[in-house]
Amino acid sequence: MHTGSLRCDLNVSLAPVVDDDDDGSPSVHAGNRYEMDGDGDAANKDNPFGKYLPPNTGNRVEVKNLNSVRQVILATEYEALRQTRLLQQGVTIPQETRTFNAPNGCTVTLRSKEDAIDYRFMPEPDVPPVILNRDSLAGKSLPELLGTLPELPEAAVSRLMIEYTLDEDSALVIVSDGTPAIGYFERAVRCAEAELQSSTTSDTVDTAPPKRSKVAPVVSKWLCNDLFGMVKKQQPSSANPNDPTGASGMDQQSIQAISIADSTVSPEQLGSLVSMILSNTISTRAGKNILSLMFDNPPGSDAQKTPRAIADANGWKLITDKIVLRNICETVMRDPQNTKQLTQYRQGKMKKHRIVKYLLGKAMSESQGNAQPMLLEEILTDVLG
């Protein structure tokens, strides 16, 4: 429609609100304020679909030549409000053809139509009328059926932003994968929060677990940036246009959309990984290595372990023991290669923060990258005096 190759004609009419009786037949609300006269039913007598319309359905108004879905929505809303106001005033809706004035967002009369035959209705045999009642909805009313629908994307984005303090871009990436990614994200957040709550002071530097407002965005970052990226890389690529044999390509139908359902990393594993990073148990670099190992090995394999087990097996846990860190700093200071820098530091010939940064890099190298950075810098500064 937006390219101008298809246009839509809209028909709008109003009817009193109806309920389904126990036998499935429609009945008009007793308390309805807008009782319509019989003109509406008379106008529909020549309509082949008239028998399917609710009682007291009003006259039909046609809106011609709508060329976008947005115009269909705006014209429908405007006509519904316009006809409602007229009915409240006791005015019968005339049969007419109108056009939509896009700049003003309203409909304007083009011509009136006296009889329903002017509409040239022809039933489409391949598209039967859809009747929504308890018989066609498996014994459920329409509100009950609507209650079983999954969360709509717009509502999901809003909820993730409010409940988990995510930015809009992250929420949109998660919601774009549908219900599986939303459930995955929420399970990972719950797991990370539970592990942080139960962690002991011996495993962490900070004893107070981070709040949800800090946990959820970190989980979102690892899910959207790292895990989705791994899933994308494992998807088969399309055919190479430069390959005349087509041997390196695949049929387009075999290329599936990226989904978190294709990940071999469970939400519990991701949540545990995030909790270790937030609790300063491992570094971000080690976290990426652990995630890669878990993703590359299918569930049930010997290599598919918990993040903590992988960190222990590879010696990737951050060193937070102050005695061990002090020994590392003293080893760096005793190294003859660092004598010149220490002399300059004590004589104040260079900016001290540059020398501290240099020695901090040496200490981190001595710890094989496993020292907790903030704690290491604090102890190094104390050792330097």
Side-chain angles (χ1 to χ4, degrees), residues 345-372:
Y345 178 86
R346 294 186 177 116
Q347 293 177 352
K349 292 183 178 181
M350 291 181 61
K351 292 183 178 180
K352 289 190 174 183
H353 72 273
R354 292 184 178 178
I355 299 177
V356 171
K357 186 176 181 180
Y358 167 81
L359 295 174
L360 187 62
K362 292 293 184 179
M364 185 62 73
S365 178
E366 181 70 21
S367 70
Q368 297 182 348
N370 292 330
Q372 205 286 323

Side-chain angles (χ1 to χ4, degrees), residues 54-369:
N56 297 321
T57 297
N59 288 327
R60 181 184 315 102
V61 173
E62 183 180 27
V63 184
K64 298 286 289 184
N65 298 333
L66 301 172
N67 56 21
S68 71
V69 175
R70 176 171 174 76
Q71 285 191 9
V72 172
I73 295 172
L74 294 176
T76 303
E77 292 176 344
Y78 178 84
E79 271 302 301
L81 293 173
R82 185 187 71 85
Q83 294 184 30
T84 298
R85 284 194 295 268
L86 291 176
L87 293 170
Q88 288 174 327
Q89 298 168 9
V91 179
T92 300
I93 305 298
Q95 288 189 123
E96 61 180 343
T97 298
R98 301 173 72 90
T99 185
F100 182 67
N101 187 319
N104 296 330
C106 64
T107 62
V108 181
T109 299
L110 286 178
R111 58 185 177 272
S112 63
K113 292 191 175 181
E114 298 297 332
D115 299 311
I117 194 63
D118 292 336
Y119 285 94
R120 303 291 192 273
F121 278 114
M122 296 180 62
E124 169 56 59
D126 295 328
V127 185
V130 178
I131 310 301
L132 300 180
N133 56 28
R134 289 188 180 274
D135 290 336
S136 61
L137 299 178
K140 296 182 180 180
S141 67
L142 187 56
E144 291 172 344
L145 184 66
L146 292 175
T148 64
L149 294 177
E151 189 176 27
L152 296 178
E154 185 175 353
V157 170
S158 178
R159 182 176 66 82
L160 292 179
M161 292 175 64
I162 295 173
E163 185 176 343
Y164 294 96
T165 65
L166 299 186
D167 60 85
E168 186 177 14
D169 289 342
S170 298
L172 285 170
V173 170
I174 294 173
V175 172
S176 66
D177 191 35
T179 304
I182 298 174
Y184 187 105
F185 166 74
E186 293 184 312
R187 286 172 59 188
V189 171
R190 287 195 297 269
C191 177
E193 290 175 339
E195 289 205 12
L196 287 167
Q197 190 68 37
S198 62
S199 62
T200 60
T201 56
S202 61
D203 293 330
T204 65
V205 176
D206 300 317
T207 58
K211 298 180 180 179
R212 166 166 288 187
S213 59
K214 294 184 179 180
V215 174
V218 178
V219 173
S220 171
K221 172 183 172 296
W222 281 84
L223 174 61
C224 298
N225 297 346
D226 295 272
L227 194 52
F228 268 128
M230 293 179 179
V231 174
K232 182 178 180 180
K233 287 181 180 179
Q234 78 168 2
Q235 294 293 321
S237 59
S238 59
N240 184 357
N242 298 322
D243 182 7
T245 65
S248 62
M250 297 185 65
D251 186 85
Q252 288 290 334
Q253 294 182 350
S254 66
I255 302 174
Q256 301 178 355
I258 300 170
S259 174
I260 197 62
D262 300 320
S263 170
T264 56
V265 179
S266 70
E268 288 73 22
Q269 286 177 311
L270 181 63
S272 178
L273 180 68
V274 170
S275 74
M276 295 175 68
I277 294 170
L278 290 175
S279 63
N280 293 314
T281 304
I282 59 174
S283 65
T284 300
R285 185 179 66 178
K288 291 182 180 293
N289 293 336
I290 293 172
L291 183 64
S292 180
L293 284 174
M294 291 189 298
F295 186 85
D296 291 338
N297 294 279
S301 64
D302 294 337
Q304 177 74 312
K305 303 175 182 177
T306 65
R308 294 186 182 276
I310 295 175
D312 288 334
N314 292 276
W316 286 338
K317 279 192 173 182
L318 289 179
I319 302 172
T320 57
D321 189 312
K322 293 185 178 181
I323 297 177
V324 175
L325 292 177
R326 179 172 288 273
N327 290 336
I328 292 173
C329 292
E330 291 175 349
T331 300
V332 169
M333 294 181 66
R334 289 194 299 266
D335 189 338
Q337 294 183 354
N338 302 323
T339 302
K340 178 181 177 181
Q341 285 75 17
L342 286 173
T343 302
Q344 292 175 337
Y345 178 86
R346 294 186 177 116
Q347 293 177 352
K349 292 183 178 181
M350 291 181 61
K351 292 183 178 180
K352 289 190 174 183
H353 72 273
R354 292 184 178 178
I355 299 177
V356 171
K357 186 176 181 180
Y358 167 81
L359 295 174
L360 187 62
K362 292 293 184 179
M364 185 62 73
S365 178
E366 181 70 21
S367 70
Q368 297 182 348

